[in-house]
Structures are given as structure tokens and as C-alpha cells.
Amino acid sequence: MPQITFNDRAVAKITTDKTTWFTDSTVRGLRLCVTKTGTKTWWVNKWDPTKQKTRAIKLGQWANTGTHCAWAKKQVGATTLQIVEGHAITRNERAAEKQKLGIPTFGEAFDQYIEHRMGARASGKKPMVEKTAKDYRHTFNRELGAWAHVHVDELPILEINQHLNALQLRVPHSARMASTVAGAVVRFVNKFCALALPIPSTLDNTVTRSRVETGKLDMTVPLSARWAEIEQVKNDHIRLWWMVTTLAGFRQETSRALSWDDIDLELGVVTFSRSKHTYDREIVLSDRVVALFKELHEIKMDDCNWVFPSRRIIGDVRGHIGQVDAIGEDVVTRAGDVRHYWMSAGREHAPTHVLRWLAQQTLTAGDLNMLGHYGKPSHEAQRAAADAIANALWRQIEAAPLSVVALKRECA
């Protein structure tokens, strides 16, 4: 067992290729355990006259602040007195006590969180899908598994945050995912166990490009030019998808999942399955969009009930539209970008609460109080707003069309 002088400068320099215990001859009973991953933990060893054996009591992990060397040295006397008086408890004894109190380990709390999210929920929200649960499990095991055995009220938040910030510099997406999982589990524990534990998080939240940044669209290009591009798309389903997206503002993921069972052409209504709630959202279509859906119905494939079918065959079933199929090589714009035209027109021609409904956004309690509206807008209000937005966009489309290439040449 190597001996060193316990001071922060010396401890900070310690590295080892295997778990090693260090002592300081001037501080009896204090030991430092250093693992090959660099984790440094303080322990106190003292003979327990009551139980007639040597007791090893864990103090905490070393850090530049909080549990540094001066702190550890101060704890030796108090911990030694606890051992002599029979009040000190080991990690196993503490674990048994916490189990009796119902305080889970980080790993147990994660399993309870996943079980809760995948089960029926009183909030009405849909259960977590298996793919998301699988991604969460993979992230937890890979990035947070080192603390799975630690009870949640003893989680070394500083150490976890340092790990996430270091990970952020190498793999930003993994750091963001790990931070999301860790925060979700601790928030769940705080509610489930009536605790107030600090939430693990990264120092820098801008770990990946935002959806706004990745979805930028050059709004200086007239909608007429974009529409001219869309009209050149050869595949009927893809061309009509672009047109519906432009005039109705539908998101790509919701369009991909549409089947003809979701659309009532006679009433001009589409029903979207909500991603986070068990209830569906019924949205009224403008007359122009209904006409586009009727065109789509005329070219409906007999063996496929998807509104936007794919050219690819998945098993024995023709799958719904995929991203490659949706974009196409002959379209300059990217999936979802043209929704900016729709949203801009909507702000001018539709009441805010109706626009939010048509955009499949959920009004928060603050929005409801501010707007003075509650619940689902009437079909009449939705149809009036949808028609107003579509007609405003159509006036832009009917302007003299220019291709994007020609427009750039003219600007140059």
C-alpha cells in the first residue's frame, strides 16, 4: 500500500492502471482508493471494539472542492469516534437501511422510471415506445452505468456533471442524451420518493444544432419559385405531398403516418394520432388541401392504405413514405422547410389559438389564460382559418414564377 502526503496537488497527480490504495503516515486510519478510471474515494479504517473487527467507512469521493484533502482529514476524528462508540455503519449496512426505507439505487430508479413511462398513465399521455426505451437503456448502461449501484440520495452529482461535460467535448449527441436520461430519472425519483435531489446536467446546453437552425429556409425566395420547383417533381405522390405540406403546414412525421382511414374527404377533416397523448387531434382542411387529397385518392394503390406510399417494400407490405422518397433528388427545398411559408401566413390570417391547433401544437395553461380560449376550436373557426391561410399562400404562388436558379442569376 503506497504512502504519499495527502494534499490536493499530490492527489490530483495520482494515476494508476489498477485499483490502488494510498495512505498517509501522518493521518492514521485515512485511506484513498484510486481506480484505473481515475475515481478517488476516501475511506476511514478503525478497529471496532464492539464488534471486534476492523471497520471500513466510506467518506466520499475526492474532488478539487467539497471533498478535498482538508475536508477528509477533518472527518477522520468524527468517524473514528462513531466507530468506537458503535454508531458508524458500513456501506452494506447503509444499503440495507435504505432498502428498508425504499430508497432505490440509480439503476433501480432507472428501471422504475422506464416501467412507469411504458405503462398506462393517469395523465393521458401515451406510453413510451419500445424504441425510445431501448435507446434510454443503451445510453444509461453506456454512460451512466458506473453509478447504477449508488443509492439516489448519494449520487455524486459533481462527478456525473464532470463526466457529461467531458463527454460533451467528444460526443455532443451522446452527452445530450445521457443528460436527458439522468435528469428524467432524478426528477422521477424526486416525485416518487418525495426527495429534492439536484438534477445532473451539462454546463453547455448548445450541444447540437437546434431544430430552428437545422430547419432554416431562405425566405427571400418567393413561394412562387418554390412552388414551381414542386410542380417539376415527377412522382405524383411526392409532388402532392409537397403541395399539401406547403398549403396545410403538416409536419413530415405526421404525414408519413397518414392512412386513408384518418381522412374524411366529405367533411374535409383529418385525424392525427398524437405522439405524446392517448387522444387524437381532429383538424379541418382548407378547400384547396381537400382537393389535393382527392387527387391523391384517385391514384390510391389497391394494395396500400397509406396516403403517401413508399416505393420500397417492407416485408410483404408496402411501407409509408420514407425520407429519401419524400425529398427526391430534383427538389431543392428540404422536408418541412416550406412550413415556414405556411406559419408566416398563418400569423397574419388566423387567430393564434386556431393557428396553434392547426399546427398540431398544444396550448399550455399560460397560453390558455392569455388567449382566453380553451379546448378545441370549432370546425367553422378551423375551416375559416385554414382557408384564409391557404388562399393567402395561393396569392403568393400565382405571382410570376421564377426558378430558384433564375432568381439567383437575376439577383447577381
Coordinates of all heavy atoms in Angstrom, one line a residue, residues 67-134:
T67 N -14.9 17.7 -1.2 CA -14.4 16.6 -0.6 C -12.9 16.5 -0.8 O -12.3 15.5 -1.1 CB -15.1 15.3 -1.1 OG1 -15.0 15.3 -2.5 CG2 -16.5 15.2 -0.6
H68 N -12.2 17.7 -0.7 CA -10.8 17.7 -0.9 C -10.0 17.1 0.3 O -10.7 16.7 1.3 CB -10.3 19.1 -1.2 CG -10.9 20.1 -0.3 ND1 -10.6 20.2 1.1 CD2 -11.8 21.1 -0.5 CE1 -11.2 21.2 1.6 NE2 -12.0 21.8 0.7
C69 N -8.7 17.2 0.3 CA -7.9 16.6 1.4 C -8.2 17.2 2.8 O -8.3 16.4 3.8 CB -6.4 16.7 1.1 SG -6.0 15.7 -0.4
A70 N -8.3 18.5 2.9 CA -8.5 19.1 4.2 C -9.8 18.6 4.8 O -10.0 18.4 6.0 CB -8.5 20.6 4.0
W71 N -10.8 18.5 3.9 CA -12.2 18.0 4.4 C -12.0 16.6 4.9 O -12.6 16.3 6.0 CB -13.2 18.1 3.2 CG -14.5 17.5 3.5 CD1 -15.6 18.0 4.1 CD2 -14.9 16.1 3.3 NE1 -16.6 17.1 4.3 CE2 -16.2 15.9 3.8 CE3 -14.2 15.0 2.7 CZ2 -16.9 14.7 3.7 CZ3 -14.9 13.8 2.6 CH2 -16.2 13.7 3.1
A72 N -11.4 15.7 4.1 CA -11.2 14.3 4.5 C -10.5 14.2 5.9 O -10.9 13.4 6.7 CB -10.5 13.5 3.4
K73 N -9.5 15.0 6.1 CA -8.7 14.9 7.3 C -9.6 15.3 8.5 O -9.5 14.7 9.6 CB -7.5 15.8 7.2 CG -6.4 15.2 6.3 CD -5.3 16.2 6.1 CE -4.3 15.7 5.1 NZ -3.1 16.7 4.9
K74 N -10.5 16.2 8.3 CA -11.3 16.7 9.4 C -12.4 15.6 9.8 O -12.8 15.5 10.9 CB -12.1 18.0 9.0 CG -11.2 19.2 9.0 CD -12.0 20.4 8.6 CE -11.2 21.7 8.6 NZ -12.0 22.9 8.2
Q75 N -12.7 14.8 8.8 CA -13.7 13.7 9.0 C -13.2 12.5 9.8 O -14.0 11.8 10.3 CB -14.3 13.3 7.7 CG -15.0 14.3 6.8 CD -16.1 15.1 7.5 OE1 -17.0 14.5 8.1 NE2 -16.0 16.4 7.5
V76 N -11.9 12.4 9.8 CA -11.3 11.2 10.4 C -11.6 11.0 11.8 O -12.1 10.0 12.3 CB -9.8 11.1 10.2 CG1 -9.1 10.0 10.9 CG2 -9.4 11.0 8.7
G77 N -11.5 12.2 12.6 CA -11.7 12.1 14.0 C -13.1 11.8 14.4 O -13.4 10.9 15.2
A78 N -14.1 12.5 13.7 CA -15.5 12.2 14.0 C -15.9 10.8 13.6 O -16.7 10.1 14.3 CB -16.4 13.3 13.2
T79 N -15.4 10.3 12.5 CA -15.8 9.0 12.0 C -15.2 7.9 13.0 O -15.8 6.9 13.3 CB -15.3 8.7 10.6 OG1 -15.8 9.7 9.7 CG2 -15.7 7.4 10.1
T80 N -13.9 8.2 13.4 CA -13.3 7.2 14.3 C -14.1 7.1 15.6 O -14.3 6.1 16.2 CB -11.9 7.7 14.6 OG1 -11.1 7.7 13.4 CG2 -11.2 6.8 15.7
L81 N -14.5 8.3 16.1 CA -15.4 8.3 17.3 C -16.6 7.6 17.1 O -17.1 6.8 18.0 CB -15.7 9.8 17.7 CG -16.5 10.0 19.0 CD1 -15.7 9.4 20.2 CD2 -16.8 11.5 19.2
Q82 N -17.3 7.7 16.0 CA -18.5 6.9 15.7 C -18.3 5.4 15.7 O -19.1 4.7 16.2 CB -19.1 7.4 14.3 CG -19.6 8.8 14.3 CD -20.1 9.1 12.9 OE1 -19.8 8.5 11.9 NE2 -20.9 10.2 12.8
I83 N -17.1 5.0 15.2 CA -16.8 3.6 15.1 C -16.6 3.1 16.6 O -17.1 2.0 17.0 CB -15.5 3.3 14.3 CG1 -15.8 3.7 12.8 CG2 -15.1 1.9 14.4 CD1 -14.6 3.6 11.9
V84 N -15.8 3.8 17.4 CA -15.6 3.4 18.7 C -16.8 3.3 19.6 O -17.0 2.4 20.4 CB -14.6 4.4 19.4 CG1 -14.4 4.1 20.9 CG2 -13.2 4.3 18.7
E85 N -17.7 4.3 19.3 CA -19.0 4.3 20.1 C -20.1 3.4 19.5 O -21.2 3.3 20.0 CB -19.5 5.7 20.2 CG -18.7 6.7 21.0 CD -19.2 8.1 21.0 OE1 -20.1 8.4 20.2 OE2 -18.7 8.9 21.8
G86 N -19.7 2.8 18.4 CA -20.7 1.8 17.8 C -21.8 2.4 16.9 O -22.8 1.8 16.7
H87 N -21.6 3.7 16.5 CA -22.6 4.4 15.8 C -22.4 4.4 14.2 O -23.3 4.7 13.5 CB -22.7 5.8 16.2 CG -23.1 6.0 17.7 ND1 -24.1 5.3 18.2 CD2 -22.6 6.8 18.6 CE1 -24.2 5.6 19.5 NE2 -23.3 6.5 19.8
A88 N -21.2 4.0 13.8 CA -20.8 4.0 12.4 C -21.4 2.8 11.7 O -21.5 1.7 12.3 CB -19.3 4.1 12.2
I89 N -21.8 3.0 10.5 CA -22.4 1.9 9.7 C -21.6 1.7 8.4 O -21.2 2.7 7.8 CB -23.9 2.0 9.4 CG1 -24.2 3.3 8.6 CG2 -24.6 2.0 10.7 CD1 -25.6 3.4 8.3
T90 N -21.5 0.5 7.9 CA -20.8 0.3 6.7 C -21.7 0.5 5.5 O -22.9 0.8 5.6 CB -20.3 -1.2 6.6 OG1 -21.4 -2.0 6.6 CG2 -19.4 -1.5 7.8
R91 N -21.1 0.5 4.3 CA -21.9 0.7 3.1 C -23.0 -0.4 2.9 O -24.1 -0.1 2.6 CB -21.0 0.6 1.8 CG -21.7 0.9 0.5 CD -20.8 1.1 -0.6 NE -20.0 -0.1 -0.8 CZ -19.1 -0.3 -1.8 NH1 -18.8 0.8 -2.6 NH2 -18.4 -1.4 -2.0
N92 N -22.7 -1.6 3.3 CA -23.7 -2.7 3.2 C -24.8 -2.5 4.2 O -26.0 -2.7 3.9 CB -23.0 -4.1 3.4 CG -22.1 -4.5 2.2 OD1 -22.3 -4.0 1.1 ND2 -21.2 -5.4 2.5
E93 N -24.4 -2.0 5.4 CA -25.4 -1.7 6.4 C -26.3 -0.6 6.0 O -27.5 -0.6 6.2 CB -24.8 -1.5 7.8 CG -24.1 -2.7 8.3 CD -23.2 -2.3 9.5 OE1 -22.8 -1.2 9.7 OE2 -22.9 -3.2 10.3
R94 N -25.6 0.4 5.4 CA -26.4 1.6 4.9 C -27.3 1.2 3.8 O -28.5 1.7 3.7 CB -25.4 2.7 4.5 CG -26.2 4.0 4.1 CD -25.2 5.1 3.6 NE -24.3 5.5 4.6 CZ -23.0 5.2 4.7 NH1 -22.5 4.5 3.8 NH2 -22.3 5.7 5.7
A95 N -26.8 0.3 2.9 CA -27.7 -0.1 1.8 C -28.9 -0.9 2.3 O -30.0 -0.7 1.8 CB -26.9 -1.0 0.8
A96 N -28.7 -1.7 3.3 CA -29.8 -2.4 3.9 C -30.8 -1.5 4.5 O -32.1 -1.7 4.4 CB -29.3 -3.4 4.9
E97 N -30.3 -0.4 5.1 CA -31.2 0.6 5.8 C -32.0 1.3 4.7 O -33.2 1.6 4.9 CB -30.4 1.5 6.6 CG -31.2 2.6 7.4 CD -30.3 3.5 8.2 OE1 -29.4 2.9 8.9 OE2 -30.5 4.7 8.1
K98 N -31.3 1.7 3.6 CA -32.0 2.4 2.6 C -33.0 1.6 1.8 O -34.1 2.0 1.4 CB -31.0 3.0 1.6 CG -30.1 4.1 2.1 CD -29.1 4.6 1.1 CE -28.2 5.6 1.7 NZ -29.0 6.8 2.1
Q99 N -32.7 0.3 1.7 CA -33.7 -0.6 1.1 C -34.9 -0.7 2.0 O -36.0 -0.8 1.4 CB -33.0 -2.0 0.9 CG -33.9 -3.0 0.2 CD -33.2 -4.3 -0.1 OE1 -32.2 -4.6 0.5 NE2 -33.7 -5.1 -1.0
K100 N -34.7 -0.7 3.3 CA -35.8 -0.8 4.2 C -36.7 0.5 4.1 O -37.9 0.4 4.1 CB -35.3 -0.9 5.6 CG -36.4 -1.1 6.7 CD -35.8 -1.3 8.0 CE -36.9 -1.5 9.1 NZ -36.4 -1.7 10.4
L101 N -36.0 1.6 3.8 CA -36.7 2.9 3.7 C -37.3 3.1 2.3 O -38.1 4.0 2.0 CB -35.8 4.1 3.9 CG -35.3 4.2 5.4 CD1 -34.2 5.3 5.5 CD2 -36.4 4.5 6.3
G102 N -37.0 2.2 1.3 CA -37.5 2.3 0.0 C -36.7 3.2 -0.9 O -37.2 3.6 -2.0
I103 N -35.5 3.6 -0.6 CA -34.7 4.5 -1.4 C -34.0 3.6 -2.4 O -33.1 2.8 -2.0 CB -33.7 5.3 -0.6 CG1 -34.5 6.2 0.4 CG2 -32.8 6.1 -1.5 CD1 -33.6 7.0 1.3
P104 N -34.2 3.8 -3.7 CA -33.6 2.9 -4.7 C -32.2 3.3 -5.1 O -31.8 4.4 -4.8 CB -34.5 3.0 -5.9 CG -35.0 4.5 -5.8 CD -35.1 4.7 -4.3
T105 N -31.5 2.4 -5.7 CA -30.2 2.8 -6.4 C -30.5 3.5 -7.7 O -31.7 3.5 -8.2 CB -29.4 1.5 -6.7 OG1 -30.1 0.7 -7.6 CG2 -29.1 0.7 -5.4
F106 N -29.5 4.1 -8.3 CA -29.7 4.8 -9.5 C -30.2 3.8 -10.6 O -31.2 4.2 -11.4 CB -28.4 5.4 -10.0 CG -28.5 6.5 -11.0 CD1 -29.7 7.2 -11.1 CD2 -27.5 6.8 -11.9 CE1 -29.8 8.2 -12.1 CE2 -27.5 7.8 -12.8 CZ -28.7 8.5 -12.9
G107 N -29.7 2.6 -10.6 CA -30.1 1.6 -11.6 C -31.6 1.2 -11.4 O -32.4 1.0 -12.3
E108 N -31.9 1.0 -10.1 CA -33.3 0.6 -9.8 C -34.3 1.7 -10.1 O -35.4 1.5 -10.6 CB -33.4 0.2 -8.3 CG -32.7 -1.1 -7.9 CD -32.5 -1.2 -6.4 OE1 -32.7 -0.2 -5.7 OE2 -32.2 -2.4 -6.0
A109 N -33.8 2.9 -9.8 CA -34.7 4.1 -10.2 C -34.9 4.2 -11.7 O -36.0 4.5 -12.1 CB -34.1 5.4 -9.6
F110 N -33.9 3.9 -12.4 CA -34.0 4.0 -13.9 C -35.0 2.9 -14.4 O -35.9 3.2 -15.2 CB -32.6 3.7 -14.6 CG -32.7 3.6 -16.1 CD1 -32.9 4.7 -16.9 CD2 -32.7 2.3 -16.6 CE1 -33.0 4.5 -18.2 CE2 -32.8 2.2 -18.0 CZ -32.9 3.3 -18.8
D111 N -34.9 1.7 -13.8 CA -35.9 0.6 -14.2 C -37.3 1.0 -13.8 O -38.3 0.8 -14.6 CB -35.5 -0.7 -13.5 CG -34.2 -1.3 -14.1 OD1 -33.8 -0.9 -15.2 OD2 -33.6 -2.0 -13.3
Q112 N -37.5 1.6 -12.7 CA -38.8 2.1 -12.2 C -39.3 3.2 -13.1 O -40.5 3.2 -13.5 CB -38.7 2.5 -10.8 CG -38.5 1.4 -9.8 CD -38.2 2.0 -8.4 OE1 -38.3 3.2 -8.1 NE2 -37.9 1.1 -7.5
Y113 N -38.4 4.1 -13.6 CA -38.8 5.2 -14.5 C -39.3 4.6 -15.8 O -40.4 5.0 -16.3 CB -37.7 6.1 -14.7 CG -37.8 7.1 -15.8 CD1 -38.7 8.2 -15.6 CD2 -37.2 7.0 -17.0 CE1 -38.9 9.1 -16.7 CE2 -37.4 7.8 -18.0 CZ -38.2 8.9 -17.9 OH -38.4 9.8 -18.9
I114 N -38.6 3.7 -16.4 CA -38.9 3.1 -17.7 C -40.3 2.4 -17.5 O -41.2 2.5 -18.4 CB -37.8 2.2 -18.2 CG1 -36.6 3.0 -18.5 CG2 -38.3 1.4 -19.4 CD1 -36.8 4.0 -19.7
E115 N -40.4 1.6 -16.4 CA -41.7 0.9 -16.2 C -42.9 1.8 -16.1 O -43.9 1.6 -16.7 CB -41.6 0.0 -14.9 CG -42.8 -0.8 -14.7 CD -42.7 -1.6 -13.4 OE1 -41.6 -1.6 -12.7 OE2 -43.6 -2.3 -13.0
H116 N -42.7 3.0 -15.5 CA -43.7 4.0 -15.3 C -44.1 4.6 -16.7 O -45.2 4.7 -17.0 CB -43.3 5.0 -14.4 CG -44.2 6.3 -14.4 ND1 -45.4 6.3 -13.8 CD2 -43.9 7.5 -14.9 CE1 -46.0 7.5 -14.0 NE2 -45.1 8.2 -14.7
R117 N -43.0 4.9 -17.5 CA -43.3 5.6 -18.7 C -43.9 4.6 -19.8 O -44.6 5.1 -20.7 CB -41.9 6.1 -19.3 CG -41.4 7.4 -18.6 CD -42.3 8.6 -18.8 NE -42.6 8.8 -20.2 CZ -41.8 9.5 -21.0 NH1 -40.7 10.0 -20.5 NH2 -42.1 9.7 -22.3
M118 N -43.7 3.3 -19.7 CA -44.2 2.4 -20.6 C -45.5 1.9 -20.2 O -46.2 1.2 -21.0 CB -43.2 1.3 -20.8 CG -41.9 1.7 -21.5 SD -40.8 0.3 -21.9 CE -41.7 -0.4 -23.4
G119 N -46.0 2.2 -19.0 CA -47.3 1.7 -18.6 C -48.4 2.7 -18.8 O -48.2 3.8 -19.4
A120 N -49.6 2.4 -18.4 CA -50.8 3.3 -18.5 C -50.6 4.4 -17.6 O -50.1 4.3 -16.4 CB -52.1 2.5 -18.2
R121 N -50.9 5.7 -18.0 CA -50.6 6.9 -17.2 C -51.9 7.7 -17.0 O -52.7 7.8 -17.9 CB -49.5 7.7 -17.9 CG -48.3 7.0 -18.2 CD -47.2 7.8 -18.9 NE -46.8 8.9 -18.1 CZ -46.0 9.9 -18.6 NH1 -45.6 9.8 -19.8 NH2 -45.6 10.8 -17.8
A122 N -52.0 8.1 -15.8 CA -53.2 8.9 -15.4 C -53.3 10.2 -16.2 O -54.3 10.8 -16.3 CB -53.3 9.1 -13.9
S123 N -52.1 10.7 -16.6 CA -52.1 12.0 -17.3 C -52.7 11.9 -18.7 O -53.0 13.0 -19.3 CB -50.6 12.5 -17.5 OG -49.9 11.5 -18.3
G124 N -52.9 10.7 -19.2 CA -53.5 10.6 -20.5 C -52.4 10.5 -21.6 O -52.8 10.3 -22.8
K125 N -51.2 10.7 -21.3 CA -50.1 10.6 -22.3 C -49.9 9.2 -22.7 O -50.0 8.2 -22.0 CB -48.8 11.2 -21.7 CG -48.9 12.7 -21.4 CD -47.5 13.2 -20.9 CE -47.6 14.7 -20.7 NZ -46.3 15.3 -20.2
K126 N -49.4 9.1 -24.0 CA -49.2 7.7 -24.5 C -47.9 7.1 -23.8 O -47.0 7.8 -23.4 CB -48.9 7.8 -26.0 CG -50.2 7.8 -26.8 CD -49.8 7.6 -28.3 CE -51.1 7.4 -29.1 NZ -50.7 7.3 -30.6
P127 N -47.9 5.8 -23.7 CA -46.7 5.1 -23.1 C -45.5 5.4 -24.0 O -45.6 5.6 -25.2 CB -47.2 3.7 -23.1 CG -48.7 3.7 -23.2 CD -49.0 4.9 -24.0
M128 N -44.4 5.3 -23.4 CA -43.1 5.4 -24.1 C -43.0 4.2 -25.1 O -43.3 3.1 -24.7 CB -41.9 5.4 -23.2 CG -40.6 5.4 -23.8 SD -39.2 5.2 -22.6 CE -39.2 6.9 -21.9
V129 N -42.6 4.4 -26.3 CA -42.5 3.4 -27.3 C -41.2 2.6 -27.0 O -40.3 3.0 -26.4 CB -42.4 3.9 -28.7 CG1 -43.7 4.7 -29.1 CG2 -41.2 4.8 -28.9
E130 N -41.2 1.3 -27.4 CA -40.1 0.4 -27.1 C -38.8 0.9 -27.7 O -37.7 0.8 -27.0 CB -40.4 -1.0 -27.7 CG -39.3 -2.0 -27.4 CD -39.0 -2.2 -26.0 OE1 -40.0 -2.2 -25.1 OE2 -37.8 -2.3 -25.6
K131 N -38.8 1.6 -28.8 CA -37.6 2.1 -29.4 C -36.9 3.1 -28.5 O -35.7 3.1 -28.3 CB -37.8 2.6 -30.8 CG -36.5 3.2 -31.5 CD -36.8 3.8 -32.8 CE -35.6 4.3 -33.5 NZ -34.8 5.2 -32.7
T132 N -37.8 4.0 -28.0 CA -37.2 5.1 -27.1 C -36.7 4.4 -25.8 O -35.6 4.8 -25.3 CB -38.3 6.1 -26.7 OG1 -38.9 6.7 -28.0 CG2 -37.8 7.2 -25.8
A133 N -37.4 3.5 -25.3 CA -37.0 2.8 -24.1 C -35.6 2.1 -24.3 O -34.7 2.1 -23.5 CB -38.0 1.8 -23.6
K134 N -35.5 1.5 -25.5 CA -34.3 0.8 -25.8 C -33.1 1.8 -25.9 O -32.0 1.5 -25.4 CB -34.4 0.1 -27.2 CG -33.2 -0.7 -27.6 CD -33.5 -1.5 -28.9 CE -32.3 -2.3 -29.3 NZ -32.5 -3.0 -30.6

